[in-house]
Structure formats: C-alpha cells, structure tokens
Amino acid sequence: MTSQVPCYTIINSPDLEVTNEMQLKRDLEKGDTNVKIETLKRVIKLLLNGERYPGLIMTIIRFVLPVQNHTIKKLLLIFWEIVPKTSADGKLLQEMILVCDAYRKDLQHPNEFLRGSTLRFLCKLKEPELLEPLMPAIRACLDHRHSYVRRNAVLAIFTIYKNFDWLVPDGPELIASFLDTQQDMSCKRNAFLMLLHADQERALNYLASCIDQVHTFGDILQLVIVELIYKVCHANPAERSRFIRCIYNLLNSSSNAVRYESAGTLITLSLAPTAIKAAASCYIELVVKESDNNVKLIVLDRLVAMKEHEGMEKVMQDLVMDVLRVLAAPDIEVRRKTLALALDLVYSRNIGEMVLVLKKEVSKTHNVEHEDTGKYRQLLVRTLHTCSIKFPDVAANVIPVLVEFLSDTNELAAADVLIFIREAIQKFPALRALIIEHLIEAFPQIKSSKIHRAAVWILGEYVEGSQILEVIAVIQQTLGEVPMVEAEQRRLAGDQTEEQKQQQGSAGGNAAGSAAEGSGSGNASNKVTSDGTYATQSAYSLAPVAKAEKRPPLRQYLMDGDFFIGAALSATLTKLALRYAELETEARAQNRLTTQVMLIMSSILHLGKSGFPSKPITNDDTDRIFVCLRTLSERTPEAISVFTLYCREALGKMLDAQHDEDQRMLKEKQKATAKVQPDDPVLFAQLSNGRDNQLGENVFESSLNQALAGSKNAQLSDVASPNSKLNKVTQLTGFSDPVYAEAYVNVNQYDIVLDVLIVNQTNDTLQNCTLELATLGDLKLVERPHPVVLAPHDFCNIKANVKVSSTENGIIFGNIVYETALNTNVVVLNTIHIDIMDYIIPASCTDTEFRQMWQDFEWENKVTVNTSFTDLHEYLKHLLKSTNMKCLTPEKALSGQCGFMAANMYAKSIFGENALANLSIEKPVDDPDSKVTGHIRIRAKSQGMALSLGDKISSSQKQSVQAA
C-alpha cells in the first residue's frame, strides 16, 4: 500500500492558512466572477497541501461549473485533475457523472480553445468510467477545422489507448488514416508519435512512403522520425542500411535540435569513418553557430565523449582546425573546453597549423580590456606550453611569442610563461641560447617582482659563455646606480644621479632643436590673466614642482621593501661569477667581475639597513646574501657545487616527478577504458543492461542510469541493489512505539527523496495518519505528504521530496500525528542528518590555482587532529576516504618517514563550490606507538561548506577512536 496519487500539475504555494469550509462554500455560491476565481485558486492550493474538502464538490458543480468564464474553465480543469474522485471504498463518486456530462458539452463547444484544453485535461484522467461516455465526442474532434483541437484529440486518443486500449480498440488504424490526410505539422507529429509507440509497423510504412520528403517536414516531426529510426535500428540492426541515409539528410536540417539528435543517432548506428566525420562536423557547426553558451558546452561534451572512443579519436584528429573555430566564442568556459579538446586531438601533422592559430589568438588579446582576457591569455600560454613539450619541433616558434607575455600586466599569464621557459630550457638544451637571448631582451620590460625573481633565477642557472657579461649588464641597468645608498642620498638632496645624467644625455639631441627655437623668447613667457590682460611670468618666480622620481624596476622593488628579490639576485650573481671564473683564465678579469658582483650585494645589504626603503631587510634575506658573499670570498668546493650543480639537479628531479605523475594519471585513464582481452566474456546485447558502452549502446538506457545514479559514477545494479538501500536506512522511532517508522534517504544530485515506511503496531485503526516534516539548513520541503488511514498492523510507504541548494549539513526532523477513536496522538521522530559527502567529489587543480583560491577564500575552519592512528600515511588515507577529497601533493613528496607530513587536498561540490584543505601532522620518529597529532585547516568561499567539512572530519575521527 502506498500514499502515491497520480499528479501532473505542480503549483508552488507558500504556507496557507486553512480556511473554513463554510466560508469557501459561501464565496463559491454568492461571490461574483472575480471572487469565485480567487476562491477556486485557494481551494486548489489547499488541496495540493493535503487538505480535504469533500463537501465542496457539489457546490462547485452547481455554482461554478456552469460559468462560461475562460479563467474559471481553466482552473476547473486543474481542480478536477487533483480532487479525489473516488470514495473510501474505491468506487467513483456519483457527482462525477455530472462533471462528465459538463465536459461532454465542452467537447462540442464552438470555441476551439475550450475544446483543445478539455482534450488535454482528458489525457490526465485515470478513471475509465469517466472516459467511456466521452469517446464519441473525442473521435469527432479529429475532424475539427482547427489544428489545435485536432492535435490535442490525437494526444487524448494516444493516452487513452495506452492506458485503456479497450476503450479505443481501433486506435492505430484510426490515427494511421488520420495521418494520411493531414497537412498540419503539429497534428502529423502527434499522430506519428502515437504510431511510434502503439504500432511501429504502421509508423515504418508511413516513413518508407515519404522518406524522400523528410527534409521538407517541420522540425517537431523530424525529431520524432529520428527517434523512430533510432529505436527500430537498435531493435533490428538489419534495418540500418534502409534508414541511415535519412539520418544523413537530417544532418542538414534547418533546425539545430534535429541536427543535434541526428548526429547523436548516427554515431550510435554506425562507426564508419564517414559517419563519425559527418557527426563531428555537425556538432562543431552547432557549437560555432549557436549563441547560447549552455548549448555550446553540452555539444562540446558530446565531442569530448566521442574523443574518448578510440575508434572515433583517429577520425576526429583531422578536425582539429575546425574545433579551433569555436575559440571565437567570448565565454571562458567554452574556450577552456575547446582548447583541452584540441590539445587531446592534435598530432604531428597539424600541430604547426594549430600553433599558428593560437599565435593569432594571442595577438588578438593585446589591448583588449575584458574581465576574462587575463584568464584567456593564461589558457593560451598553458596550451602553447603543452604543445611545445608534446612536440619539441614547434618550441622554437612558440618561445618568441610567449616571451612577450613577460612584460604583461597579468602576473598569472607571465608566471605560466616562466614555468614553460623553465621546463623548456631544462628539456631542450639546443634551444637554450635562443631562450636566453629573448629573456635578456624582455628582462627590462618586466613589471612584476615575482616574475623578475623567477627570470633572474633562470638567467643565473642557464647562462653560459659570453652571455654572462651581457646578463650582468642587463641586471645593472635594471638595478640602477651602485652603491645605491649614495645614489638615493643624492636623489634626496636634489643632485643629479647617474641615471638622470644618462637620460639627459640621450635626450640632449632632441632637446637641442627646441632650445634653439626657444632662445629668442628668453626665460620670460606671456600668460593671459582671468580678466583678459597679458602678464609676464619669469622662470625665477615659479615654485619648483617635485616630480615623482622614476627608479629602475629592481631598485623600486627594493625601495618598496621587497628584499626577497635582492636575495634571489645575489644567488644569481654568485652563480654567474663562479661560472665566469671557470671560463676566464685571467685572474684580473675574474677579480674585476667578482668585485663588481660583491659590490652589488653589499649595496643591497647597506640599502636594507639604511632606512630609505619602506620596510627594512629581513634576517632571512640578510643571511642569504651573506652566504653568497662568503661563497665568493672563500670559494670552498662544497659551496661551489651547491650553486653550480645541485640547483639544476633539484629542478630536474622536480620535473621528472611531475612527468611521472602525469604518466600515472594517463595510465589510470587508460585503465578505465580497458581493451577487450582474448579471454574476456562475450557480451550479448539482449542480456546486457545497457551501461557497458556509452556511445555504442542505448543512449536512453544510459541517460536513465545516470539520472538514477546521481552525480557519482554509480551503476544501475548498485543503485537497485538492496545492500545500498540498507546502508542508508535511518530508524525514526523505537520498536515499542505505537507507530514504527524508518526512512530510506535517497540522494539524487539536487533532490533528496525520503521513502518513509510507517507501521501501525496497534490493534486500532489510525485515522489521518500524517507525516509532518521540517528542515534546518539549506533544505526545502517541496510538498507536504498526504494523510493516510492505517488498518490494525498495516503499513504504508510515504514519499517526501526535499530540495537542496548548497553543500551544507542539513537536518530533517518532524513527527507523526494520528487519530484513534478516542484521541489524537503524536510520535516525535528521530532527526535525519543529511551527509554532505553525497555532494562532494574529488577534483584537481594546479599549485598556482590552489594558492590563489587559498588567498581568496575568507572562511577558515581549523580542526585539531584527535585520532588513534599511529601512522601518518594511514591517517592521510583515512582522511581522504572520509572527506571525498583528492590529495594534490605528489606521492614522491609524501614518501618516507620523517615524523612530519604536510599535504594539500582539494574537492568540488556538485553546486560548483570549492573546498581546500591543508593537512599538517607529526609524530615522534623514535616512538612507534605514539599517536598522530597536528591540525587540518579547511578553507571555502562559504561558511557552511567550511563548517560542514570540519564537522565531517571531527565525526570520522570520533568513529575511528571509538572503533579503536
């Protein structure tokens, strides 16, 4: 027994005050038309909220049904749809015969709107006793002059035939003859839809007779034809050759919806290269021409799904240039997906063309101010980076384009360029001279301290031979006059510094001509006063205007208190001096360069302590610079090897670790799409459940599986298995309570369905047994469950739907109210806690993105580690399992036992929220039985997400402690 009733119309109604039935009757009897309309609306909302007014039916039949107002007629259709039409014993109410007669008259009404809307209402009736007297009138509507009435008459016959075929036994023949005579597309579509589901043979015969005219049909009919061809060809593969040409023709339809469906159907029916190419080209055209970004993303997902299929990927590789046309779209998400798809498809033959297109896109982003321009540049940089690493031949063409980004104001794009340059210069020794040359050219134009710091490191590590002196000259140019403290003192006193003299010298030639022209007028110049008279103004009478002094970039960073760049610069200069000493045999030249370098370092130290900069130099930076000075003065072999060898080795190891991680991820993906091995079992289509192959199998089945399984990659068998249900059953009342209740909580993405089992454990009949629920958190109850009557020791299932709007711990609580012959009783229910783990899925991001999000997110929750685990790695595994997060720190960085572990974790919710976590734990190495201690810091954009994850970690820790 269940409390489910058929319902087609959902009306959102806020909490209403329950109105007196007598008041409603009075308004329906004596009110004017507007009062009747408002009262009828209130009655409909009350009925949907679970109230019962059996006495109103006769009042509405007598005083409202005869009214000819169209709004009232419309509302009455909804009222008769939702009102209970049967008595307690399941028999049809006598009053419904009068209603049936009224609707028979409406089916013969001269107004076509009334006829059509009444026919639509009849599609929703489930009582054959009401439909039987109306059948002659419904049939007569098939010959009505207006297409609105005819198409709704077809739908009414279709639903009646589907539910009660004995009421219209000749339905398919009737509709087949109707289809032959029709010209209106909507009528033909509805008629063909009925034949598709009721009598496929007739539908096929009709399609075969007009297969050459299909391209002239309307899009609504073409969509139904595509569905028919799909179903027929899956059921009977021998029919493919008969209808596949029709699908090819529909790829050129004027309707985008038809083209999309046709392309999807074509690749499920045929894996021939021509079919794959035609379908992929059709998808690409749709993405390019469609303006809606959501449509673009959906179609791109279809192209990505095609690419995952090994047989299709090879054919799609030739379409890379067509895919890149989608970059014309302004949306950043569309561009991101397009570049990722193109990167996966590109191969050695068309990489050159792709790089040319990306270069053009890079040039288009210059001088364009848009909120997403910076992100798009970053995407292009990363794509060109990956292209160069995958195909080293194009690296030489890409490097000059990317180096231009170093002077960009967008620091993220410039940082990505340097990451690329660092990897390229390490992996491609042949390109080092070219990269260094371009980097030296771009060095003075860099605008960010962070970028300058990384560029300085690369120059110091990889510059060789004659370029060493060139790099030191560029560094001196961007640092300014040395010693810096004396230069700043002169600047403060108003004297000319070396830079100003040089600037004046370069500008002298330009100034000579203008000075000659101005010599005739002397120092005085004429000015016009406010009253229009002339006044003479002398240069000696003007007050001096203090100009903001523009310093060289590196000097400016130091004056702003950023001495980290000074420490990095010292390390670079030390490396250059040591390398120059190996190349240069003459001691004087060696000493000259070393002295020059040591002067710059000591000058940075002096400036840091002088008080000129906005912040003084830190102790760490001071120590690093002193280490560099000491290395240059003492030249111990250990220190020299650290500077000249170990830095580069460390970079090589890091890049190798990244490469190994990428290869491991690639292997994991390949494992997911495993090949069919010789000893694998043979799959029979008739015995399979439709979830083995997304593209080649039944798409309707796979979409149903996905809808059932929710956001996770669960399988239909897992969802339907009783074991998974038992894991999610919550007991709501005690076994000794008069009413026992338990709930199965089923989470389907944004919806939670509570399937509540209620058992009457008494010997009395429980009247109006109602499940009353309330929610806490971002949960909303969609509708109130209907009251039920429970016989002694009877049971029923009541379903309640709850909407979820964010990732936050929610609580559902409530009670069961029931009436016996003597009194009304209430049983309070146990609370149901909604687990946020159903909405969180592991995700990955780069270190830069993680740091940026960590900086941007304002909500932090710090959880203290309290666990019985004695192994750091075991605790990390337990944490990842209980929070559904992914560890971003590579395994190599976590390997080994040092008594301390730090790891970054990341996850995303299905609502698009990001969750970051930083784990910092430790235990004494010499005590194997000691427990893990430390902290977990969680950051999220919303407070609810941060608190909910913290609660989840705390509860999982308690469970592990109790288990121990």
Side-chain angles (χ1 to χ4, degrees), residues 392 395 399 421-436 462 464 467 648:
I399 287 160
I421 287 175
R422 188 182 67 186
E423 189 171 352
I425 208 168
Q426 172 73 10
K427 288 191 173 178
F428 311 132
L431 295 174
R432 281 179 188 171
L434 175 71
I435 294 172
I436 295 293
Y462 292 98
E464 291 171 355
Q467 286 182 322
R648 196 176 301 190

Side-chain angles (χ1 to χ4, degrees), residues 397-418:
N397 297 329
V398 170
I399 287 160
V401 180
L402 290 185
V403 169
E404 291 176 16
F405 274 96
L406 291 176
S407 58
D408 199 278
T409 51
N410 180 11
E411 191 178 286
L412 293 172
D416 281 340
V417 170
L418 277 175

Side-chain angles (χ1 to χ4, degrees), residues 556-706:
Q556 188 62 52
Y557 303 145
L558 297 173
M559 291 301 291
D560 293 338
D562 181 6
F563 279 93
F564 189 24
I565 180 81
L569 194 62
S570 301
T572 294
L573 290 170
T574 305
K575 289 176 189 175
L576 292 173
L578 292 173
R579 204 165 288 130
Y580 185 75
E582 289 174 7
L583 296 171
E584 182 62 51
T585 53
E586 192 185 345
R588 287 186 65 181
Q590 286 182 19
N591 293 338
R592 191 185 302 117
L593 186 77
T594 307
T595 312
Q596 192 180 348
V597 164
M598 292 175 83
L599 175 63
I600 293 172
M601 290 187 217
S602 55
S603 178
I604 293 170
L605 279 172
H606 191 189
L607 182 69
K609 305 279 187 185
S610 66
F612 282 115
S614 54
K615 295 177 197 167
I617 189 168
T618 62
N619 291 337
D620 281 349
D621 294 331
T622 307
D623 289 347
R624 288 192 68 189
I625 296 173
F626 270 128
V627 166
C628 294
L629 284 167
R630 190 171 177 180
T631 303
L632 285 175
S633 61
E634 295 182 0
R635 305 279 176 101
T636 57
E638 292 83 3
I640 290 174
S641 59
V642 168
F643 277 96
T644 55
L645 299 175
Y646 294 162
C647 291
R648 196 176 301 190
E649 280 180 19
L651 174 64
K653 285 177 183 175
M654 188 191 79
L655 292 175
D656 290 342
Q658 281 181 357
H659 180 70
D660 292 345
E661 186 69 16
D662 293 341
Q663 290 298 315
R664 190 178 63 79
M665 296 288 288
L666 198 63
K667 279 181 185 174
E668 282 180 8
K669 279 185 183 177
Q670 286 172 350
K671 276 182 191 173
T673 59
K675 312 277 191 305
V676 179
Q677 300 299 333
D679 54 349
D680 279 357
V682 177
L683 294 174
F684 292 93
Q686 292 83 350
L687 303 176
S688 70
N689 57 9
R691 59 176 168 80
D692 301 311
N693 192 343
Q694 190 188 355
L695 284 168
E697 284 296 328
N698 195 319
V699 175
F700 296 136
E701 279 290 326
S702 61
S703 61
L704 177 64
N705 298 350
Q706 195 178 352

